[in-house]
Amino acid sequence: MSAFSKFMKQNKILRENTGYPATKFLIDENGEPLKWIIKPLTSKEYDNIRDQCTYDVPVTGKPNMIRPKVNTSKLLVKLICASVVEPNLNDKQLQDSYGVMSAEELIQEMIDDPSEYSDFAAFIQEFNGFTTLEEKVEEAKN
């Protein structure tokens, strides 16, 4: 196999979905937390989400200059929603059962415990190859 052909798509290792118990408040018939199916995002999906969460702000003291700013809370909830395969957060019946009208609202209703939401967000970030703030702090300490 030539060096070039090693880069062909058929040689690329596929990233697989995984299961994660996002909340202890949604359980199966045995009392175990339901595992949600999580998919890895592509670079293209991430870029689209980041673009949706970026806006321009004026630079103080510099007229007509702007800089991009990312709404990190919005980015995080959109990353979570894009990664969740099951349950289907866009299902109207599921949204109706929680009295919401979007996947972003639904995820925050389904996981309404702040520490569970934070843990799930950290898992989604790590699963997609991002380091969390805690990891950066720990790395800075060492």
Side-chain angles (χ1 to χ4, degrees), residues 16-28 32-39 77 80-90 94 98 103-113 116-117 120-121 123-124 127:
E16 296 190 15
N17 294 354
T18 191
Y20 183 85
T23 177
K24 64 183 176 228
F25 299 107
L26 291 168
I27 56 174
D28 65 15
E32 296 294 319
L34 295 172
K35 284 209 175 190
W36 296 30
I37 306 299
I38 311 301
K39 73 170 187 155
V77 74
I80 292 170
C81 292
S83 295
V84 173
V85 175
E86 189 178 310
N88 178 357
L89 300 176
N90 293 304
L94 184 58
Y98 282 89
E104 289 84 4
E105 290 175 303
L106 179 59
I107 195 72
Q108 293 176 323
E109 286 294 321
M110 292 180 81
I111 308 174
D112 61 353
D113 179 285
E116 282 186 344
Y117 185 82
F120 189 43
F123 171 79
I124 293 291
F127 183 67

Side-chain angles (χ1 to χ4, degrees), residues 15-74:
R15 299 179 300 155
E16 296 190 15
N17 294 354
T18 191
Y20 183 85
T23 177
K24 64 183 176 228
F25 299 107
L26 291 168
I27 56 174
D28 65 15
E29 58 279 351
N30 298 319
E32 296 294 319
L34 295 172
K35 284 209 175 190
W36 296 30
I37 306 299
I38 311 301
K39 73 170 187 155
L41 297 177
T42 65
S43 298
K44 187 175 183 177
E45 289 171 316
Y46 173 74
D47 285 345
N48 288 336
I49 292 168
R50 187 173 174 88
D51 286 348
Q52 293 172 33
C53 301
T54 303
Y55 57 98
D56 292 331
V57 294
V59 176
T60 307
K62 306 232 177 179
N64 301 322
M65 290 198 63
I66 56 171
R67 66 177 175 79
K69 183 172 182 176
V70 176
N71 180 331
T72 54
S73 296
K74 185 177 176 182

